[in-house]
Amino acid sequence: MRNFLCSIFLLTGMTIAAFPQAAPRQPGELAWAIHYDPSTFDPVKVDDQVSDLVRYLTGGVLLRFNRQTQQVEPQLAESFQLSPQGTQISFKLRGGLTFSDGSPLTSADVAWTLRHVLAPATKAPIADEFLAPAGVSVETPDQWTVKVHLPKRVIGVEKIFDEIAIEPANHPSEGRVTAGPFTVSEYKRGQYLRLARNPHYWRRDGTGVQLPYATGIRLDIQNNREQEAALFLRGEYDVVDGPSPDYYGVIARKSPGAVHDMGASLNTEQLWFNQSAQAALPDYEKTWFQNRGFRVAISEAIHRADLTRIAYDGHATPAYDFISPANKLWHNDQLQYPKENVAEANRSLAASGFHRSGNQLFDAGGHAVKFSILTNAGNQARQKMSSLIQQDLANLGMQVTLVALDFPALVERLMHKQDYEACLLGLSNAEPDPSSMMNQWLSSSPDHPWNPSQKTPATPWEAEIDKLMQMQASTPMQAERKKALDRVQQIVADQQPFIYLVYPNCLQAISPSLHGAQPAILTPGSVWNIEFLRRDGGAR
Amino acid sequence: MKLVGTIAVRAGRTLLLLLAAALGTILLVRFAPGYFSDPREMDAKYSAVARTEMQAETGRSRLVNRILLDEAESWLKGDFGESRQYHIPVVKLIGGRARVSVILLAKSILMGWLLALCAALPIASLRGGRVLCSLPFTVLLAIPTAAMATACIVSDSGGPVLVLSLLVGARDFKFLRSLLEGAWRSPHLLQARAQGLPTRALVFQHILPNAAPQLYALATLSIVTALGALVPVEVIFTVPGVGQLGWSAVMNRDLPVLVAVSFLMACVVGVAGLFTSRSLTSEAV
Amino acid sequence: MKVRLPMLLMALLVLGASLTLTLSRYGYSFQDRDAIQAASSPLHWSGTDELGRDRTVRVAAALLIGLTGASLAGAITTLIAAAFGLLAAFSNRAIAALLIFVSDVFLSLPWLFLLMMARSLMPLTASPLETAVATFLVLALLGWPACARAVYSGALNLRNAEWMIQGHACGLRKRQLLRMHLLPHLRPLLLPQFLICLPAFLIAEANLGALGLGIGEPLPSWGAMLLEMDNSAMLMSSHWVYLPIILLVIVLLILESISTQVEPHA
């Protein structure tokens, strides 16, 4: 008995000593969690959201797309001018700019960075946004002016410069020497990333105080959302970016002032059916999925109010359109879409040749309507939605199996083999402009989910969507673009290639001791104005 | 001479084990779904880049013999290849993490064994009520690792060492209690107790030495259990160890890292096996 | 006599679960969407889960499915471990070395990929029960190596025990020696292995849901209910969340009581 008790004390003592402590916080340092290691610190090679965040926090850019006003603002460039044809953009740099190591920043550095981004050997993801990067040229008439010549107009070209971090010419430093508010100072893989304040940052606030206010940022690599919420409540983290609805609830219960539900985000959750002719599915199943009446019936049978209330705990908005109502500039307010109506759904199915026998629906050929819905594992809300939809479709007599796969296996089935029947996934829209959605809507694109890489559009309505999307991407006239996009939204609502389910709300948790936060819907939602954020007692 | 022979045989067997583990891993990973897929293909912004990289990967690793040659070359070079996720040499990635995992494992196995032994000895000696006295360990077996972790987080105490020790301890306790029940009831021990031998002497002079061969056997089982439980513990507590790296490598089909992790696993299993065979007679393998 | 009480309790538990399932007015998949995470009431004795499904019925169904699946899988894996270990112990040195080598290779490989392959070979429309059976079967076939090693070492020690030699000298055949003498001495290894397998397989089945295996919706999964306890929001919602784990502990206690009374005493 004595030995047993001794061992318990020993165990407790060693365990307390053995518990790994989070890196201690430095005064004035902001801290929050990221969910995985950034894949790169090289701003031209950014290819995931965390690396994108690091680039946002450290990179000095010519122009910044203000996440709140959704307007482009000058940053390192004091002013810019786009030619009427849209084939030339000129930047005038501010005077006295330096990098974080004190070396001067001139047009030579800007030109070098742009050429480096555009060079084919660099394989920068951002280069493709210029549409024809090989034809883009850069000239520097003097050390404060940069002129970029584009072979053809790119709608929203100014926004591309928001993602190009200017680096010292011939000395790329992977985020350690930057012209942005912070620099990468310490990285422990799997543990944390530290960013230090740039002492030579060009920007000052209204009273002449140099920005940023914070002395640094610590980004903990923390995969466990429970731990993240607990540390936030304990004051170790200043924000939780995009908490899931249940952790939002946990934080709201203990600290109601810290949580913000900003309403519908730009993102969508949708269900779609495999309409590819090459799909390894029986012909009768392809007939179902290619049948508009079948898709519309399913849309009418799904109770979206239940999805928002139950799967998202009220933190979502029913969706019928790929443009969220939060995207005020492009949302079609006059959209006609199939409303929820189970009786109407049954009529739609009957009109499409389906009939019911007992609890089971059959098609005209006598095949029982059974199919699977594929989704990715690990997303609680999506899995709840799948279960709710399974029940809704059972009311139509359809037998649905739910399969959750890990992402690589899911991508293989969806994009390489088209070996699936239906899929429930979400789409993140990082920006409101529809030009960023081209890959999804062009029928020839490999990212056209329900029937990728079509040589010619398989249906007249897909051909019409192709024409309209290409048209809106080639004209700067807002009214014409809006008209085209309204028509695309109506076609999609009529044909239901995507059965939109919900717009998840933009959720943020911001510590009451963090000052200056003005959460926005666009990423990085709570820290987009990072230069102006500071903690209580953390002013420099 | 015989010693040299034994060492040569054991070294040869371990080498063969390492090669078999590496080959098996390559085959399993290459032919599992998703090897030529990249989650970035679902992101419109990065899908073009992801697709280009996957095409290059397909060209490189479509044939298994090509993969085997590449892996063999990287082992001979000493860097074990480049991680598909992090694009840095695998040996650099694993180096620091191996240390973290070894320390976590060592502490947890030691504490787990201490807990299990100190609980199993008195409980095994009881005449009745053994099942009820083992209730805490039965409860520990039933609680998932993630729930234990949440309990630690919510109560702001404990951590990966505690959770792993409890997991290992609970499993070891079941085996030890069973083993020691028999030991307590053996005739020579009954006689020793009847003659008034103190408990400490009973335990250290009779029970433990007689049970030593089975305890060595259980040691292998214990190490393997701890290795299995290491992955969920490291992932849940975000411990930067080999388990967390291995899990991330599985989710991202990072073949070079997985081969290296299998390698390590085979080493540990091989060494753990040596403990068992040391305890056996000369006829043992 | 003593063994009868735990067996009676187990029978009562299974009977209770079966009756709950058959007599309840709610099916295990019925979603009462106006009663999400409801407290216990005359309609829903232990409240409802996050989709409005009656918890009592779901726990009852999960108990039956999980108990059947996990105990069969546990029994299979223990038998394979025993057979493997005994075969290795009673073979000549070369075969024993080969068998132990095979078990070591088994331990070192990332079998998750085999599970992914198993899922990709099954049709997506495989019913939840079919994926459940496949999952438990695969778990049973993969869970044996660690215990096999321990059985091998234990059996090797017993091979040269005096009573084994005497039994052999008395003319007992290998099968009789195995059944009457060897297996009872290996019980201290095999029974705990079986008991540990039960909760381990339940939780493994739930974790394999991330790879498309496991018990598919809307069938209730005991392991998934246990895993709900990792979410503090769930723990705060209702005390009935603990019902699955309480039942699991009871089942384990009953099984342990049976095994304790079945083991030989000196």
Side-chain angles (χ1 to χ4, degrees):
Chain A
M1 189 57 176
R2 206 170 38 170
N3 287 339
F4 182 51
L5 287 172
C6 283
S7 67
I8 295 298
F9 283 125
L10 194 67
L11 194 143
T12 318
M14 285 177 77
T15 309
I16 289 167
F19 179 52
Q21 301 295 323
R25 216 159 156 168
Q26 288 167 7
E29 188 181 53
L30 304 177
W32 66 90
I34 49 178
H35 300 128
Y36 49 89
D37 288 87
S39 62
T40 179
F41 293 119
D42 183 350
V44 306
K45 294 249 167 31
V46 160
D47 60 3
D48 64 67
Q49 285 179 356
V50 168
S51 311
D52 197 9
L53 175 69
V54 174
R55 178 178 62 191
Y56 184 92
L57 297 172
T58 59
V61 294
L62 291 172
L63 304 174
R64 177 63 84 204
F65 180 60
N66 185 310
R67 281 10 182 205
Q68 203 171 51
T69 62
Q70 296 185 18
Q71 300 297 319
V72 170
E73 290 173 349
Q75 287 273 296
L76 296 177
E78 181 178 75
S79 64
F80 72 100
Q81 213 167 4
L82 184 63
S83 68
Q85 300 81 22
T87 50
Q88 183 179 286
I89 181 165
S90 311
F91 298 98
K92 179 148 192 306
L93 296 178
R94 293 176 197 274
L97 287 173
T98 57
F99 286 103
S100 52
D101 62 355
S103 59
L105 193 162
T106 64
S107 60
D109 302 296
V110 175
W112 182 88
T113 304
L114 292 175
R115 289 182 192 124
H116 180 54
V117 162
L118 293 162
T122 314
K123 292 187 212 158
I126 194 82
D128 289 335
E129 301 208 15
F130 286 103
L131 298 182
V136 180
S137 63
V138 183
E139 63 178 57
T140 53
D142 58 56
Q143 62 174 324
W144 312 120
T145 313
V146 180
K147 286 196 177 147
V148 180
H149 300 276
L150 306 162
K152 57 193 260 195
R153 179 193 295 279
V154 177
I155 303 296
V157 67
E158 312 90 340
K159 280 185 245 149
I160 303 176
F161 294 94
D162 173 276
E163 295 177 71
I164 299 176
I166 307 302
E167 299 186 89
N170 302 307
H171 296 110
S173 63
E174 296 205 350
R176 290 183 196 265
V177 175
T178 72
F182 297 94
T183 62
V184 173
S185 70
E186 192 189 349
Y187 174 49
K188 283 215 165 105
R189 188 181 301 281
Q191 292 182 65
Y192 63 86
L193 167 64
R194 259 213 166 93
L195 307 178
R197 190 177 175 277
N198 174 1
H200 297 280
Y201 189 49
W202 63 271
R203 202 168 177 181
R204 288 174 184 273
D205 71 7
T207 62
V209 173
Q210 193 190 17
L211 297 174
Y213 291 139
T215 56
I217 301 175
R218 197 188 79 228
L219 300 172
D220 280 356
I221 291 146
Q222 178 60 259
N223 212 351
N224 187 332
R225 309 296 167 118
E226 190 71 51
Q227 178 83 304
E228 187 184 8
L231 288 171
F232 174 81
L233 287 167
R234 243 184 283 152
E236 296 270 351
Y237 292 153
D238 298 307
V239 299
V240 176
D241 198 22
S244 67
D246 23 1
Y247 290 114
Y248 181 95
V250 166
I251 297 171
R253 255 190 291 271
K254 302 229 171 101
S255 180
V259 290
H260 305 266
D261 181 342
M262 303 183 58
S265 64
L266 297 184
N267 304 334
T268 55
E269 295 282 321
Q270 61 251 42
L271 175 69
W272 72 89
F273 290 95
N274 187 351
Q275 295 186 51
S276 167
Q278 284 80 39
L281 297 174
D283 287 335
Y284 60 83
E285 281 193 21
K286 288 185 199 173
T287 315
W288 303 342
F289 303 149
Q290 289 168 4
N291 182 325
R292 179 188 164 269
F294 179 85
R295 299 193 300 268
V296 167
I298 287 182
S299 181
E300 287 168 336
I302 294 174
H303 293 99
R304 288 167 178 76
D306 289 346
L307 300 183
T308 61
R309 181 173 58 90
I310 299 170
Y312 283 87
D313 219 13
H315 298 295
T317 312
Y320 300 94
D321 181 14
F322 65 94
I323 302 279
S324 159
N327 191 349
K328 294 186 174 54
L329 201 58
W330 298 102
H331 180 69
N332 182 353
D333 299 321
Q334 312 298 323
L335 191 71
Q336 304 296 315
Y337 53 84
K339 308 260 188 323
E340 268 145 45
N341 189 330
V342 178
E344 193 54 49
N346 281 315
R347 271 196 290 276
S348 240
L349 287 171
S352 303
F354 293 89
H355 66 275
R356 195 132 164 199
S357 176
N359 281 337
Q360 179 63 49
L361 189 73
F362 294 89
D363 69 3
H367 302 104
V369 178
K370 285 191 216 180
F371 57 88
S372 58
I373 296 180
L374 209 58
T375 189
N376 70 301
N379 188 319
Q380 277 276 6
R382 227 169 257 163
Q383 275 165 329
K384 283 189 202 171
M385 279 204 293
S386 313
S387 294
L388 292 165
I389 291 171
Q390 187 185 42
Q391 278 302 289
D392 285 342
L393 297 185
N395 294 337
L396 292 182
M398 296 183 186
Q399 236 183 84
V400 172
T401 7
L402 304 177
V403 183
L405 293 179
D406 62 309
F407 242 115
L410 184 74
V411 168
E412 188 181 78
R413 277 186 183 268
L414 289 184
M415 310 213 82
H416 299 186
K417 294 184 175 166
Q418 276 89 57
D419 183 12
Y420 71 102
E421 289 160 317
C423 183
L424 196 166
L425 274 185
L427 202 80
S428 299
N429 289 312
E431 59 158 295
D433 196 294
S435 304
S436 61
M437 303 172 196
M438 292 292 282
N439 276 346
Q440 195 200 125
W441 293 110
L442 290 178
S443 58
S444 53
S445 163
D447 297 321
H448 187 64
W450 66 90
N451 192 354
S453 305
Q454 297 174 39
K455 294 197 173 51
T456 55
T459 58
W461 55 271
E462 282 174 282
E464 195 182 347
I465 291 178
D466 282 354
K467 203 178 80 190
L468 290 164
M469 288 305 287
Q470 272 156 352
M471 192 267 263
Q472 69 80 32
S474 57
T475 172
M477 307 301 294
Q478 174 66 16
E480 281 177 39
R481 294 184 74 202
K482 177 73 164 70
K483 197 167 157 209
L485 204 70
D486 280 352
R487 178 69 195 135
V488 173
Q489 289 173 71
Q490 191 56 60
I491 296 172
V492 170
D494 292 337
Q495 296 291 335
Q496 297 285 317
F498 280 134
I499 296 167
Y500 289 98
L501 302 170
V502 301
Y503 308 110
N505 283 3
C506 181
L507 304 177
Q508 306 283 354
I510 298 175
S511 168
S513 56
L514 185 72
H515 297 288
Q518 295 173 39
I521 286 171
L522 301 180
T523 49
S526 39
V527 297
W528 67 271
N529 59 338
I530 189 69
E531 303 108 319
F532 294 95
L533 300 184
R534 67 170 193 279
R535 294 184 69 228
D536 269 342
R540 294 188 303 109
Chain B
M1 201 56 217
K2 199 177 173 189
L3 179 67
V4 171
T6 316
I7 291 173
V9 165
R10 294 221 173 128
R13 217 187 22 245
T14 311
L15 190 64
L16 210 58
L17 177 63
L18 297 177
L19 287 173
L23 179 64
T25 304
I26 289 170
L27 289 174
L28 280 173
V29 177
R30 166 63 183 82
F31 292 107
Y35 184 69
F36 293 114
S37 308
D38 189 324
R40 292 173 304 160
E41 290 178 66
M42 302 295 300
D43 189 334
K45 228 168 147 181
Y46 308 121
S47 58
V49 168
R51 214 160 276 127
T52 315
E53 282 182 24
M54 279 301 110
Q55 274 165 6
E57 179 69 42
T58 310
R60 236 187 347 256
S61 358
R62 185 160 284 284
L63 300 170
V64 177
N65 54 346
R66 186 70 213 273
I67 304 176
L68 288 170
L69 283 170
D70 287 342
E71 283 297 314
E73 198 187 311
S74 64
W75 293 357
L76 292 170
K77 253 191 352 203
D79 62 3
F80 282 90
E82 190 179 87
S83 160
R84 260 175 97 172
Q85 293 176 77
Y86 300 112
H87 308 292
I88 64 172
V90 173
V91 72
K92 199 172 159 192
L93 206 51
I94 286 195
R97 286 174 175 266
R99 192 180 147 269
V100 169
S101 290
V102 164
I103 293 174
L104 175 58
L105 271 172
K107 281 186 182 155
S108 309
I109 291 174
L110 233 69
M111 291 207 282
W113 262 81
L114 207 58
L115 179 65
L117 208 56
C118 294
L121 275 168
I123 293 175
S125 69
L126 295 172
R127 287 228 186 92
R130 290 194 295 275
V131 171
L132 281 174
C133 287
S134 312
L135 182 63
F137 294 95
T138 309
V139 172
L140 281 174
L141 275 184
I143 301 179
T145 313
M148 270 196 234
T150 298
C152 290
I153 290 165
V154 165
S155 62
D156 194 16
S157 60
V161 177
L162 177 67
V163 169
L164 195 53
S165 312
L166 290 175
L167 285 172
V168 169
R171 277 153 186 75
D172 289 348
F173 170 83
K174 291 290 171 192
F175 287 102
L176 282 174
R177 201 203 76 191
S178 249
L179 208 72
L180 296 174
E181 272 171 19
W184 275 110
R185 278 153 190 76
S186 49
H188 70 278
L189 206 75
L190 281 174
Q191 200 202 344
R193 283 165 91 180
Q195 286 183 334
L197 210 62
T199 315
R200 185 198 288 256
L202 283 173
V203 169
F204 287 103
Q205 288 171 24
H206 293 279
I207 295 182
L208 290 181
N210 280 322
Q214 289 108 309
L215 292 179
Y216 279 128
L218 283 182
T220 321
L221 188 57
S222 186
I223 292 171
V224 170
T225 309
L227 280 172
L230 181 72
V231 173
V233 167
E234 283 193 1
V235 168
I236 289 165
F237 283 102
T238 323
V239 174
V242 176
Q244 189 204 46
L245 180 68
W247 181 250
S248 160
V250 166
M251 288 294 116
N252 290 288
R253 311 296 195 267
D254 193 340
L255 182 60
V257 170
L258 286 166
V259 170
V261 170
S262 298
F263 216 74
L264 282 176
M265 185 76 178
C267 285
V268 173
V269 166
V271 165
L274 285 178
F275 275 119
T276 329
S277 49
R278 267 187 66 83
S279 67
L280 300 174
T281 63
S282 58
E283 287 170 79
V285 284
Chain C
M1 185 64 201
K2 262 189 178 174
V3 178
R4 290 209 196 131
L5 182 60
M7 294 196 89
L8 187 64
L9 285 171
M10 183 63 98
L12 279 172
L13 200 62
V14 170
L15 186 66
S18 312
L19 284 173
T20 309
L21 202 54
T22 42
L23 298 177
S24 169
R25 65 161 81 180
Y26 299 112
Y28 60 77
S29 62
F30 174 72
Q31 294 168 358
D32 185 352
R33 295 186 183 180
D34 294 321
I36 301 297
Q37 286 185 333
S40 81
S41 66
L43 279 178
H44 302 287
W45 293 351
S46 51
T48 58
D49 67 6
E50 73 277 4
L51 291 177
R53 299 174 296 199
D54 186 275
R55 190 176 271 117
T56 317
V57 174
R58 283 187 70 80
V59 169
L63 186 136
L64 292 173
I65 299 171
L67 195 59
T68 315
S71 43
L72 280 175
I76 293 173
T77 219
T78 310
L79 281 171
I80 298 177
F84 201 91
L86 286 170
L87 189 63
F90 283 87
S91 305
N92 65 43
R93 216 192 284 189
I95 296 179
L98 179 66
L99 289 172
I100 294 305
F101 178 78
V102 165
S103 97
D104 285 348
V105 171
F106 237 83
L107 276 173
S108 315
L109 293 179
W111 289 110
L112 272 177
F113 292 100
L114 184 72
L115 293 166
M116 290 177 195
M117 280 192 246
R119 175 67 248 197
S120 70
L121 291 172
M122 292 173 66
L124 287 176
T125 45
S127 72
L129 206 55
E130 284 167 3
T131 47
V133 167
T135 308
F136 282 118
L137 193 64
V138 178
L139 284 173
L141 294 174
L142 296 177
W144 57 269
C147 186
R149 249 288 192 180
V151 169
Y152 162 70
S153 315
L156 209 58
N157 277 319
L158 298 171
R159 197 169 86 168
N160 299 316
E162 299 87 357
W163 43 266
M164 278 289 288
I165 298 171
Q166 204 207 345
H168 193 66
C170 286
L172 285 175
R173 288 193 287 274
K174 268 200 176 137
R175 225 177 306 143
Q176 287 167 313
L177 276 170
L178 191 78
R179 188 170 48 86
M180 287 157 51
H181 294 280
L182 205 55
L183 278 178
H185 278 90
L186 286 174
R187 270 203 202 111
L189 271 175
L190 298 176
L191 283 171
Q193 168 68 15
F194 173 73
L195 284 175
I196 285 168
C197 277
L198 198 73
F201 282 168
L202 286 175
I203 291 165
E205 169 276 310
N207 281 322
L208 289 176
L211 301 182
L213 289 167
I215 299 171
E217 287 282 329
L219 275 184
S221 158
W222 203 352
M225 290 177 185
L226 293 170
L227 286 179
E228 276 176 359
M229 287 170 49
D230 74 347
N231 187 329
S232 58
M234 277 303 277
L235 295 176
M236 281 194 260
S237 66
S238 166
H239 295 307
W240 288 104
V241 174
Y242 297 101
L243 181 61
I245 194 171
I246 292 171
L247 285 173
L248 181 58
V249 171
I250 293 173
V251 165
L252 290 175
L253 286 175
I254 293 174
L255 289 173
E256 228 181 304
S257 304
I258 296 172
S259 69
T260 316
Q261 272 133 32
V262 153
E263 279 178 64
H265 290 280

